[in-house]
Amino acid sequence: MPVTSKFVALKNYIPTGLPKETDFEIKTKEISLDTKNNILVLNLWISVDPYMRARMTERKNYKPPFNIGEEMEGYALGIVKESKDKNFKEGDIVFSNFGMRDYFVCNSNDLKKIEPMNIPLQTYLGPLGMTGHTAYIGLFKHGELKPGQTILVSSAGGSVGSTVCQIAKNMGCKVIASTGSDEKVKWLKDDLKIDHAFNYKKIENLVLHLKEICPEGFDLYFDNVGGDFLESAIYKMKNFGRIVICGRISQMNATNPGSGLKNMAHVLVKRLTIKGFIIFDHENDREQFETDMAKWLLEDKIKFKETVYEGIENTPKSFIDLLEGKNIGKMLVKI
Ligand SMILES: NC(=O)c1ccc[n+]([C@@H]2O[C@H](COP(=O)([O-])OP(=O)(O)OC[C@H]3O[C@@H](n4cnc5c(N)ncnc54)[C@H](OP(=O)(O)O)[C@@H]3O)[C@@H](O)[C@H]2O)c1
């Protein structure tokens, strides 16, 4: 003690457009235990998530903007290196919101102890973590998915999307998956046994394509992307269908507000339900999810793929690459 902590900081807000590596900096500072912060943790895995993009602008959102020049936050898994708290000891594995850095000091209220199961530790940032929880709550609580229904999933080769596809498939649903590369299409079809997967970047007319591959239409659309894709999906919903608005990644870096949905008449005529949700509102609603997901993972009913960048210095690049679709499954940084 003291220890040098290396962290990622935002250099400036990014109101529109794709972030650049020069919008971030890697900084260091000396940290040490004190009476308030009496546990030292070294992160092992850092979660990289699209919602962080919203915190890089000054606009009002469900989480405040990151502070310029200070540590960015995010979910992480780490190992306790030193503790003066009787409930934590050296070697404990902990979950926190102190991502985007290697070392940090905190107190016991900031940490959740992880009792590792027979699955890779980083699963707690993927299917057993926030993205798995999002898939589960989105499908069951907001989507009200029923066995045998037909579901369309966008960004299906990513962390939330691939979990949604697999849960729905395991329920006996017909799953149609959209994703942005042939490699992701292959994974969805060959390994996850999804009924139909396509590369949206190769489709000229999405409405016609959806009609061709699924003439009966969709009971549920799990929307991770928003924009034109959402508008196309609305055309192909069944009467009384449901659309869960989980994300809007196609709009996150937009340089203009776009034209908005032009087919709200279909929402009325088909009596559709469109429901947005934020997973941070469901923190107290995890028990059933954790029980079910742990069981599915141990039974190999949910498979997990990850894209891993090494070292804190590569965190800005991992985030930009996530927004550009270079990940398959969960984007992670390994420290
Ligand atoms: N509501 C909530 O509480 C909540 C919680 C977690 C996540 N989310 C949202 O859920 C979505 C998925 O999150 P995730 O963590 O699982 O990320 P992810 O899907 O693993 O990664 C993001 C993916 O978005 C896709 N993408 C990027 N630009 C796109 C565009 N212009 N059009 C279509 N797709 C584009 C890329 O895949 P392609 O190769 O397919 O383009 C990229 O791999 C995001 O929208 C995120 O904001 C919401």
Side-chain angles (χ1 to χ4, degrees):
M1 279 300 205
V3 166
T4 303
S5 168
K6 200 186 271 189
F7 62 91
V8 184
L10 197 60
K11 268 209 292 209
N12 46 266
Y13 289 116
I14 314 160
T16 58
L18 187 70
K20 305 177 294 301
E21 284 193 59
T22 48
D23 292 318
F24 303 89
E25 57 188 331
I26 307 295
K27 296 173 80 172
T28 57
K29 77 174 186 190
E30 301 298 293
I31 54 170
S32 50
L33 297 187
D34 57 32
T35 47
K36 184 171 167 250
N37 294 310
N38 56 2
I39 306 172
L40 173 70
V41 178
L42 169 61
N43 276 330
L44 303 172
W45 292 97
I46 289 175
S47 180
V48 184
D49 295 283
Y51 81 88
M52 294 170 172
R53 177 66 185 89
R55 301 192 67 185
M56 295 173 190
T57 76
E58 288 177 285
R59 282 191 294 275
K60 195 164 178 256
N61 213 299
Y62 53 87
K63 290 237 179 202
F66 290 122
N67 291 322
I68 300 295
E70 294 179 15
E71 293 96 328
M72 284 171 52
E73 293 166 349
Y75 292 135
L77 291 163
I79 183 166
V80 172
K81 292 306 228 179
E82 193 180 341
S83 173
K84 296 198 182 330
D85 184 297
K86 62 178 179 358
N87 296 314
F88 288 85
K89 59 178 191 316
E90 195 183 330
D92 281 348
I93 299 295
V94 289
F95 171 86
S96 80
N97 194 30
F98 290 89
M100 302 288 157
R101 69 200 80 180
D102 53 10
Y103 284 97
F104 63 93
V105 287
C106 66
N107 63 55
S108 59
N109 295 329
D110 299 319
L111 299 177
K112 183 176 160 198
K113 211 183 283 188
I114 299 284
E115 303 297 346
M117 290 189 295
N118 194 19
I119 47 174
L121 179 60
Q122 65 273 26
T123 312
Y124 285 89
L125 296 177
L128 257 184
M130 187 269 280
T131 55
H133 193 207
T134 301
Y136 189 95
I137 291 288
L139 272 183
F140 294 120
K141 194 150 202 157
H142 301 289
E144 299 178 14
L145 184 67
K146 309 274 183 308
Q149 289 189 327
T150 301
I151 168 172
L152 172 67
V153 185
S154 53
S155 199
S159 192
V160 173
S162 61
T163 313
V164 168
C165 287
Q166 293 179 82
I167 296 174
K169 194 72 204 129
N170 291 341
M171 284 175 68
C173 293
K174 178 173 171 185
V175 182
I176 310 291
S178 164
T179 189
S181 79
D182 293 347
E183 195 186 351
K184 295 186 206 185
V185 167
K186 190 171 173 356
W187 177 52
L188 287 159
K189 279 188 179 164
D190 296 354
D191 294 353
L192 305 189
K193 310 291 178 209
I194 298 312
D195 298 281
H196 185 86
F198 64 92
N199 180 346
Y200 69 90
K201 292 179 181 165
K202 289 185 165 174
I203 304 299
E204 241 172 65
N205 184 323
L206 188 57
V207 182
L208 285 183
H209 186 68
L210 293 177
K211 187 175 173 192
E212 198 178 295
I213 59 179
C214 192
E216 74 272 29
F218 306 106
D219 298 287
L220 176 64
Y221 168 42
F222 196 105
D223 182 26
N224 284 317
V225 303
D228 292 345
F229 198 109
L230 170 60
E231 186 173 285
S232 300
I234 287 174
Y235 282 118
K236 301 319 311 164
M237 296 302 293
K238 291 184 188 175
N239 284 347
F240 302 102
R242 300 180 73 82
I243 298 179
V244 172
I245 308 287
C246 175
R248 46 182 291 280
I249 198 156
S250 77
Q251 307 298 294
M252 268 182 167
N253 300 310
T255 47
N256 66 61
S259 56
L261 295 174
K262 293 186 287 294
N263 55 354
M264 288 304 282
H266 280 248
V267 177
L268 173 72
V269 172
K270 293 179 181 168
R271 292 81 114 195
L272 303 181
T273 300
I274 303 183
K275 180 88 163 49
F277 78 105
I278 297 291
I279 198 59
F280 304 123
D281 295 332
H282 296 275
E283 279 310 308
N284 299 324
D285 191 4
R286 292 187 62 93
E287 209 178 311
Q288 193 59 47
F289 153 69
E290 282 175 359
T291 307
D292 287 346
M293 188 56 79
K295 182 169 174 288
W296 295 336
L297 285 161
L298 291 170
E299 290 171 352
D300 207 24
K301 286 190 174 147
I302 296 282
K303 295 186 200 307
F304 175 46
K305 214 173 176 90
E306 59 205 23
T307 301
V308 180
Y309 286 47
E310 302 241 348
I312 202 80
E313 294 81 1
N314 284 315
T315 308
K317 180 165 171 48
S318 74
F319 179 68
I320 296 163
D321 286 356
L322 171 83
L323 296 177
E324 292 206 294
K326 294 189 182 149
N327 60 308
I328 300 193
K330 178 78 190 124
M331 182 62 100
L332 294 165
V333 172
K334 190 168 193 263
I335 303 296

